[in-house]
Amino acid sequence: MSMDFADATHIASLSFDATATLRSTTMPSTPADTIPRISFRSSDLPAAQVRDHVRDRFASSGNYDLRLPEQPIPEGGIEHQGYMLGGTVMMTRKNVPHTLVRDQRLVRQSQVDHYTLNLPLTQAAPSRFTTAEGRSYSFGLGAPLFADLASPLRFDFETGTDLSLFIPRDALDDLLPRKLDLRGFVPGGVAGVLLGDHLRMLASEAETMTLPQAQMVSKATLHLLAASIMPMSDSMALARSELDHLLTRRICRYIDVHAALPDLSTDHLCAEFGLSRSSLYRIMAPLGGVASCIRERRLARIHAMLTKSSERVYLGRLADDFGFTSASHFSRAFRDQYGYSPKAAREMAAPAIDLSGKLTSTGTTKFSDWLNAIHL
């Protein structure tokens, strides 16, 4: 299915209306009116602290393995601006050459399940995106490139500036005719051009955007994204098995909601979803199998409780509530998944994420907190 002139005109009008609303705002926004943001400049910190701070703030919580160059990072070499846009998250970045890796272990550990869209703004040379299967894509100035945080990936970025948009999967999937493999997809045609222009507009206007404006712009952005994807929707070579995709997501949601059920097991899920054991094993194989998926998602729930609760959480009770045979069994499984003990996770507990104000280079909130916030 291709986009005709009327389709493109309608989508363009959504983008134009959103842009016009932003530009017609004559009253300056107050801090209470503007959207939440994170800002970071490497020049704000001593050079010796920059590496650890960037890793901790923007690649922590098991989302990415961030690899920076061995040579010293020049003053002013890294600048990040992040914005919460009413259900999506955008970041503009000035960077030195670096690599972001998200392997299968990190995919399963973090449980973050978003699409990402990367648009180079200025670059010394093309960057590269590589999928788990080894498919590699070079991308530079022009249309944005899609990636999928539910699958292993690798980004090799060159020096320059870029824009990244993080989109909850359901928000985009609900607008598509079928579930598609978007990894490495670069939108073309009229919609691709409109999408690139629209994202550049977001980057230039985000600093003064209010939450109502951000919500409206996010809706227009999602429709532009869907329109840019439509031409590929008839290519069955790029389409996932829709039934398996939907079943996997339904099963994972069920596990998340019922993680504390003592009889949550293969037999329980087979009965709940009307599947044979062999069918359930086949569907869950990409996630490491049924038992691994249940254990990992239970541990993710526990991790969230330990790190986000301001109240005392008793580890022995948690282990029992979530079906672990003993406290030692729970502790070993937790350490295997996260690399540190449940006690250490409990010591990380912080107040609820403040999404109301500006977060600066020296603040405590991390970009990964935002990714988790739009995931919940």
Side-chain angles (χ1 to χ4, degrees):
M1 178 173 62
S2 61
M3 179 187 295
D4 61 22
F5 180 76
D7 294 327
T9 301
H10 172 66
I11 297 300
S13 70
L14 290 173
S15 177
F16 178 81
D17 289 345
T19 306
T21 300
L22 290 177
R23 297 190 185 282
S24 65
T25 303
T26 56
M27 296 296 292
S29 298
T30 65
D33 293 331
T34 55
I35 58 175
R37 73 281 317 273
I38 290 175
S39 63
F40 170 77
R41 295 186 300 270
S42 55
S43 57
D44 290 344
L45 294 173
Q49 298 179 18
V50 170
R51 288 174 181 277
D52 289 342
H53 187 84
V54 172
R55 286 196 179 99
D56 180 63
R57 193 77 176 280
F58 298 100
S60 61
S61 299
N63 288 317
Y64 294 105
D65 173 16
L66 172 62
R67 302 172 185 177
L68 293 166
E70 293 183 3
Q71 59 268 34
I73 296 172
E75 183 176 354
I78 298 177
E79 294 183 9
H80 293 162
Q81 296 288 337
Y83 304 95
M84 181 72 82
L85 299 175
T88 60
V89 170
M90 180 181 71
M91 174 172 281
T92 58
R93 312 182 309 159
K94 173 186 175 184
N95 272 309
V96 296
H98 67 285
T99 296
L100 287 175
V101 175
R102 184 170 167 84
D103 60 20
Q104 188 63 53
R105 179 185 62 83
L106 293 179
V107 170
R108 291 163 60 179
Q109 173 179 308
S110 69
Q111 304 292 330
V112 170
D113 185 23
H114 305 321
Y115 293 117
T116 70
L117 200 60
N118 185 275
L119 176 67
L121 301 174
T122 63
Q123 277 191 328
S127 293
R128 185 162 293 277
F129 168 72
T130 306
T131 69
E133 298 81 11
R135 298 199 307 269
S136 187
Y137 305 83
S138 178
F139 65 104
L141 304 181
L145 176 138
F146 275 90
D148 187 339
L149 294 185
S151 300
L153 57 80
R154 175 184 175 118
F155 275 108
D156 292 292
F157 288 103
E158 297 294 334
T159 299
T161 61
D162 65 7
L163 178 153
S164 294
L165 187 70
F166 298 83
I167 309 117
R169 182 177 303 278
D170 290 344
L172 183 57
D173 281 357
D174 286 348
L175 299 177
L176 300 176
R178 61 170 63 94
K179 305 303 176 282
L180 301 166
D181 184 351
L182 297 177
R183 297 173 298 165
F185 174 63
V186 176
V190 175
V193 174
L194 289 173
L195 179 58
D197 289 344
H198 177 77
L199 292 175
R200 281 183 279 270
M201 178 277 297
L202 283 184
S204 66
E205 301 288 345
E207 189 68 26
T208 58
M209 201 182 301
T210 64
L211 184 57
Q213 290 171 343
Q215 291 170 336
M216 181 183 62
V217 168
S218 286
K219 183 177 180 180
T221 304
L222 286 169
H223 281 85
L224 273 171
L225 288 170
S228 71
I229 294 166
M230 292 299 184
M232 74 174 283
S233 65
D234 290 333
S235 174
M236 295 308 296
L238 294 173
R240 294 181 178 181
S241 169
E242 184 171 359
L243 180 59
D244 284 359
H245 175 89
L246 293 175
L247 270 175
T248 301
R249 291 190 56 72
R250 285 181 60 203
I251 292 168
C252 287
R253 286 175 180 167
Y254 184 88
I255 294 171
D256 288 341
V257 172
H258 300 91
L261 282 179
D263 62 342
L264 190 59
S265 62
T266 297
D267 289 342
H268 180 103
L269 293 174
C270 285
E272 179 68 27
F273 291 93
L275 296 170
S276 67
R277 293 174 69 90
S278 60
S279 294
L280 182 64
Y281 289 151
R282 176 181 59 81
I283 290 168
M284 302 300 287
L287 299 180
V290 180
S292 291
C293 183
I294 292 173
R295 182 180 64 253
E296 289 166 4
R297 298 184 91 88
R298 279 175 163 169
L299 288 170
R301 279 280 304 277
I302 294 172
H303 188 277
M305 293 172 67
L306 290 174
T307 57
K308 295 178 182 178
S309 175
S310 58
E311 300 179 359
R312 180 75 173 178
V313 179
Y314 293 96
L315 301 181
R317 182 177 299 173
L318 275 180
D320 186 59
D321 288 346
F322 284 89
F324 290 91
T325 56
S326 65
S328 59
H329 173 220
F330 161 64
S331 294
R332 284 195 303 272
F334 191 97
R335 187 180 290 275
D336 287 345
Q337 181 153 327
Y338 291 103
Y340 45 82
S341 69
K343 182 179 178 181
R346 187 171 56 190
E347 292 169 353
M348 300 175 191
I353 302 169
D354 179 10
L355 298 179
S356 61
K358 186 171 183 178
L359 305 165
T360 62
S361 298
T362 55
T364 58
T365 298
K366 303 172 183 178
F367 188 68
S368 56
D369 293 332
W370 279 10
L371 295 187
N372 290 324
I374 62 171
H375 169 62
L376 299 176

